[in-house]
Amino acid sequence: MLPDAHPQNLGVMGSKGSLSGNYAASQADLLIVIGSRGVCQADCSGTGYASADAVVNINADLGDVTHYNRTVALAGDIGVVAGQLLEALQKAGGADLARREAWLGATAAKKREWEALKAERYAHPVLRDDTWGRPVLTQPAAIKIACDFAKSIGAVKFFDAGDVQAVGFQVAEDEEPNQTITETGASYMGFAVSALLASGVADRPRYGIAFSGTERSS
């Protein structure tokens, strides 16, 4: 897990993705899949990694670990296998430093571009809305305000599927696991409120905030 501020955390890819996440996904020639079920939300139904010509897949589930073609399938416990893979790569000489620096420089530039775009949106949180006949908060600004409040009090954020989930993927800036929880892969409307209610009977409850919105089907 990488905190949001880490330069190599480029965000998610896809229609709900970031500029930097989509750049990395489209340019990378190797895809390393760790613990993914290979559903459409993970790889845009197989179209998300246009330049990838090889896959390393780490998973304890034999069906998931062989999900893609041209795969080096490493079946087993992720924590153990990842350590063994890193050890093998170091023995093989590690990464080419020149290519590494060029890649990290390009992705860092894209992340800065993404951060600038978000900052510009946050700087103009209110737009005129013809339906309401008055200025209103944009959805990114509203969710950003709620996310910042949740972080300030240590609350967990529960996101429904749909529009709020899409913006949440882009806006939530978590520094540790379990600050944001959603049901990626099921498109389950009602998850957030259900999770919030269930926290009332949890053995170790946490203060939570539910984000609910609309689901658009194609």
Side-chain angles (χ1 to χ4, degrees):
M1 299 293 292
L2 295 177
D4 180 78
H6 194 288
Q8 288 172 253
N9 182 348
L10 302 178
V12 298
M13 51 82 70
S15 61
K16 301 175 180 179
S18 64
L19 290 176
S20 46
N22 280 326
Y23 174 81
S26 65
Q27 298 298 313
D29 55 17
L30 170 64
L31 171 63
I32 301 178
V33 183
I34 302 175
S36 173
R37 293 183 292 121
V39 293
C40 62
Q41 285 88 346
D43 64 5
C44 293
S45 298
T47 67
Y49 302 97
S51 300
D53 55 21
V55 179
V56 175
N57 200 335
I58 306 175
N59 204 307
D61 186 284
L62 294 181
D64 291 335
V65 80
T66 56
H67 178 78
Y68 296 104
N69 293 329
R70 288 176 290 183
T71 296
V72 176
L74 303 178
D77 180 271
I78 293 170
V80 174
V81 174
Q84 294 173 335
L85 176 60
L86 288 172
E87 183 178 346
L89 291 173
Q90 290 301 319
K91 289 181 179 179
D96 180 278
L97 292 181
R99 293 185 65 192
R100 177 182 183 275
E101 293 306 314
W103 173 249
L104 292 179
T107 54
K110 280 295 179 180
K111 183 167 185 178
R112 289 192 296 271
E113 185 180 340
W114 172 240
E115 295 293 342
L117 176 63
K118 290 197 295 182
E120 194 275 334
R121 297 295 190 272
Y122 299 150
H124 300 87
V126 177
L127 295 177
R128 171 75 183 180
D129 188 283
D130 292 336
T131 299
W132 290 95
R134 59 183 172 84
V136 299
L137 274 175
T138 64
Q139 191 177 66
I143 292 178
K144 169 68 171 172
I145 292 169
C147 284
D148 287 348
F149 171 72
K151 181 179 289 188
S152 72
I153 63 172
V156 60
K157 303 179 290 295
F158 298 111
F159 278 87
D160 264 352
D163 290 353
V164 294
Q165 183 191 59
V167 177
F169 282 148
Q170 301 169 333
V171 170
E173 299 172 342
D174 295 340
E175 301 303 320
E176 59 186 48
N178 300 321
Q179 291 181 327
T180 300
I181 298 176
T182 188
E183 48 57 83
T184 303
S187 293
Y188 169 35
M189 292 298 294
F191 166 81
V193 173
S194 298
L196 196 64
L197 290 173
S199 67
V201 296
D203 291 335
R204 295 185 299 276
R206 290 180 60 187
Y207 189 93
I209 298 175
F211 293 76
S212 298
T214 57
E215 174 68 63
R216 293 174 180 167
S217 299
S218 56

